[in-house]
């Protein structure tokens, strides 16, 4: 729906007028240490923000029993009580335009070694136009952008002339079950915008890999080190199993296995050993070791196939001479996520590109991502087009994560124009 130039100007002026409030809102969200199982404060903050927008926040629980038969479900890591997703829905006086969902995750990955951050990870700090803090870029700035975009319309005396859903969800970083629960709890919309950060340059997600999380636990045979030959060292055994996965990773990155949508991406399929625990004492052969890993899934393969590959590799590794007498257990908890390709020619993707170009004077490049987003749920299971693009973030999942504030304002303006054009506008009552 074409937007008249006066309304366009008023919306962009409103975004500019909201810059300070946007930064303050982002700081409030970054102060919430919303790692897995501790998302409550961020979810409460979202409920407050939605209420301030004049909407009625609703809680959407994540109930494994209700989701377990869905193909997008991943085995949970922790219980869901007290961590309900928060959604809000704008209803127009007269629905004339197309409906839209604005989605973002409030969970963040662990801060890592807090002692090597320049400033503490959950104390937002602004330096050279960037806000530093865990989650600032991934993806609290994106959430602020969609909220402030909606507010900018209101400040301009307008509101969307179609249903607009806002979904703040948990567990994007480990299962996606929060997104799945929220998606299923609400009616399907005509399009979805997810302001996830890009690769450090203006970009829109064109594809993403899938991911499977697996946990290998080796129980060896403990002895005093003087009888070391009689024991089975669980840490060495776990390391031997892990080595198999590096060969697998090499194989999966061979040119003939890489899907067309990932051409030109260096090493798109990654196997990461993310956690290791085990052992009891420096002078005892360790009884038990556990490795947690993340295995990428190339487009063209499924999470189920990858799970079968992992089972085969671990079973083969268990036959290794060095593992004789050891017990090897394999568990799948966390991501069981299929890869997907986003339709870059969908009307919402084209509108987002045009809006961004107008606001920022730059084109959004196609971004085939070697990580994943919640966008897969809408694409794979609902056939709803997704535009996934967000502010310039650096060191996400690393030390000194930051987001460019000017780029956050550009994303806010782009989303505001997208909402206005996609949904149409009506005068605010
Ligand atoms: Zn993210």
């Amino acid at each position: 729906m074409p937007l008249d130039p006066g309304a366009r100007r008023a919306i962009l002026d409103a975004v500019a007028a909201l810059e300070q409030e946007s930064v303050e809102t982002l700081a409030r969200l970054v102060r919430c240490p919303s790692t897995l199982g501790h998302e409550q404060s961020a979810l409460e903050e979202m409920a407050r923000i939605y209420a301030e927008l004049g909407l009625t926040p609703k809680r959407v629980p994540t109930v494994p029993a209700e989701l377990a038969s869905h193909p997008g479900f991943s085995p949970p890591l922790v219980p869901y009580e007290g961590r309900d997703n928060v959604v809000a829905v704008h209803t127009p006086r007269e629905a004339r335009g197309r409906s839209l969902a604005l989605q973002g995750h409030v969970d963040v990955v662990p801060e890592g070694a807090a002692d090597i951050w320049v400033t503490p990870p959950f104390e937002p700090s602004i330096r050279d136009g960037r806000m530093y803090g865990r989650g600032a870029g991934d993806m609290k700035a994106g959430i602020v952008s969609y909220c402030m975009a909606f507010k900018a319309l209101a400040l301009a005396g307008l509101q969307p002339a179609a249903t607009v859903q806002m979904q703040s969800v948990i567990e994007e970083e480990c299962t996606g079950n929060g997104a799945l629960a929220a998606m299923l709890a609400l009616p399907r919309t005509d399009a979805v915008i997810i302001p996830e950060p890009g690769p450090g340059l203006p970009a829109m997600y064109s594809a993403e890999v899938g991911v499977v999380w697996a946990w290998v636990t080796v129980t060896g045979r403990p002895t005093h080190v003087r009888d070391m030959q009689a024991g089975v060292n669980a840490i060495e055994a776990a390391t031997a199993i892990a080595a198999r996965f590096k060969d697998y990773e090499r194989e999966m990155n061979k040119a003939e296995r890489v899907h067309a949508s990932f051409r030109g991406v260096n090493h798109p399929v990654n196997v990461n050993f993310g956690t290791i625990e085990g052992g009891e004492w420096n002078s005892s052969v360790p009884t038990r070791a556990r490795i947690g890993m993340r295995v990428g899934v190339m487009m063209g393969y499924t999470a189920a196939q990858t799970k079968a590959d992992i089972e085969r590799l671990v079973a083969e590794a268990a036959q290794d001479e060095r593992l004789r007498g050891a017990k090897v257990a394999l568990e799948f908890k966390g991501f069981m996520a299929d890869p997907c390709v986003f339709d870059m020619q969908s009307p919402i993707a084209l509108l987002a590109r045009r809006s961004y170009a107008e606001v920022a004077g730059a084109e959004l490049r196609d971004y085939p991502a070697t990580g994943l987003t919640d966008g897969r749920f809408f694409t794979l299971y609902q056939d709803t087009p997704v535009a996934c693009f967000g502010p310039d973030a650096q060191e996400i999942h690393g030390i000194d994560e930051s987001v460019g504030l000017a780029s956050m304002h550009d994303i806010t303006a782009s989303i505001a124009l997208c909402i206005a054009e996609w949904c149409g506008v009506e005068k605010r009552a």
Side-chain angles (χ1 to χ4, degrees):
M1 221 170 282
L3 187 63
D4 83 73
R8 201 172 196 87
R9 193 65 263 153
I11 290 169
L12 292 176
D13 288 348
V15 170
L18 287 169
E19 286 190 1
Q20 189 53 35
E21 187 179 335
S22 302
V23 174
E24 286 161 12
T25 306
L26 176 58
R28 254 160 55 201
L29 278 172
V30 173
R31 259 181 222 113
C32 303
S34 49
T35 51
L36 176 64
H38 303 98
E39 306 89 341
Q40 292 85 348
S41 58
L43 291 163
E44 276 159 29
E45 198 64 62
M46 288 315 304
R48 199 152 37 230
I49 292 168
Y50 289 159
E52 282 167 15
L53 294 176
L55 305 171
T56 307
K58 283 200 197 68
R59 295 288 183 155
V60 175
T62 309
V63 184
E66 289 172 7
L67 304 175
S69 62
H70 193 282
F73 180 69
S74 291
L77 294 148
V78 296
Y80 287 103
E81 283 72 31
R83 310 159 57 217
D84 292 354
N85 308 285
V86 181
V87 303
V89 179
H90 158 77
T91 308
R93 275 200 310 283
E94 193 191 341
R96 288 178 294 114
R98 293 166 287 186
S99 59
L100 182 63
L102 304 165
Q103 201 262 21
H105 66 87
V106 301
D107 57 309
V108 300
V109 298
E111 65 274 26
D115 60 308
I116 57 173
W117 283 66
V118 171
T119 47
F122 296 109
E123 289 175 25
S125 157
I126 298 175
R127 304 192 290 276
D128 298 327
R130 307 188 69 83
M131 187 183 288
Y132 289 80
R134 170 60 82 231
D138 187 10
M139 62 168 286
K140 290 173 173 174
I143 293 179
V144 170
S145 280
Y146 79 62
C147 293
M148 290 297 149
F150 185 87
K151 185 159 188 171
L153 265 68
L155 221 59
L158 302 168
Q159 62 181 22
T163 297
V164 174
Q165 297 173 1
M166 298 189 193
Q167 308 183 12
S168 298
V169 302
I170 59 166
E171 290 202 1
E172 187 272 349
E173 300 286 4
C174 58
T175 64
N177 291 340
L180 181 60
M183 180 184 86
L184 296 176
L186 294 167
R188 179 184 181 276
T189 55
D190 295 318
V192 180
I193 292 177
I194 304 181
E196 281 274 20
L201 50 91
M204 181 182 284
Y205 287 68
S206 55
E208 61 182 40
V209 297
V211 167
V212 173
W213 274 20
W215 307 82
V216 179
T217 305
V218 181
T219 307
R221 192 170 342 107
T223 54
H224 189 285
V225 282
R226 67 186 175 198
D227 307 316
M228 210 170 77
Q229 305 317 323
V232 176
N233 184 311
I235 292 177
E236 285 182 22
T239 310
I241 294 173
R244 300 255 169 174
F245 282 86
K246 283 293 154 182
D247 297 334
Y248 176 77
E249 184 184 44
R250 219 169 291 122
E251 176 64 29
M252 293 311 282
N253 281 294
K254 281 191 175 156
E256 64 268 25
R257 289 190 182 266
V258 174
H259 188 264
S261 52
F262 285 84
R263 290 274 151 70
V265 179
N266 179 39
H267 212 273
V269 182
N270 295 303
V271 175
N272 184 60
F273 302 111
T275 57
I276 180 158
E277 54 194 284
E280 299 88 34
W281 188 249
N282 283 8
S283 294
S284 304
V285 172
T287 316
R288 188 164 280 159
R290 185 176 193 238
I291 293 187
M293 64 175 120
R294 172 263 195 218
V295 180
V297 184
M298 177 42 60
M299 190 67 204
Y301 296 82
T302 63
Q305 283 173 317
T306 304
K307 177 176 184 247
D309 285 348
I310 295 169
E311 286 166 340
R312 178 176 49 78
L313 286 173
V314 170
E316 282 171 14
Q319 302 305 312
D320 190 308
E321 192 55 25
R322 286 168 293 175
L323 270 75
R324 209 150 38 111
K327 270 218 306 279
V328 181
L330 175 61
E331 254 185 316
F332 293 92
K333 280 202 279 185
F335 282 127
M336 190 58 69
D338 283 319
C340 78
V341 170
F342 297 108
D343 179 5
M344 302 306 275
Q345 297 305 315
S346 72
I348 192 67
L350 295 174
L351 173 59
R353 283 166 183 273
R354 182 158 54 76
S355 302
Y356 183 82
E358 178 186 333
V359 165
E363 298 295 326
L364 290 171
R365 295 229 301 249
D366 285 7
Y367 173 38
T370 58
L372 42 62
T373 72
D374 283 332
R376 71 182 179 283
F377 293 106
F378 303 95
T379 303
L380 293 174
Y381 311 119
Q382 218 188 27
D383 200 24
T384 307
V386 176
C388 187
F389 68 109
D392 152 38
Q394 287 170 9
E395 302 301 333
I396 61 172
H397 297 221
I399 301 297
D400 295 327
E401 173 178 350
S402 71
V403 67
L405 295 174
S407 121
M408 174 175 77
H409 302 316
D410 281 350
I411 296 297
T412 304
S414 311
I415 296 177
L417 292 181
C418 282
I419 297 172
E421 272 201 54
W422 186 261
C423 303
V425 291
E426 60 186 19
K427 285 253 177 304
R428 236 176 128 71

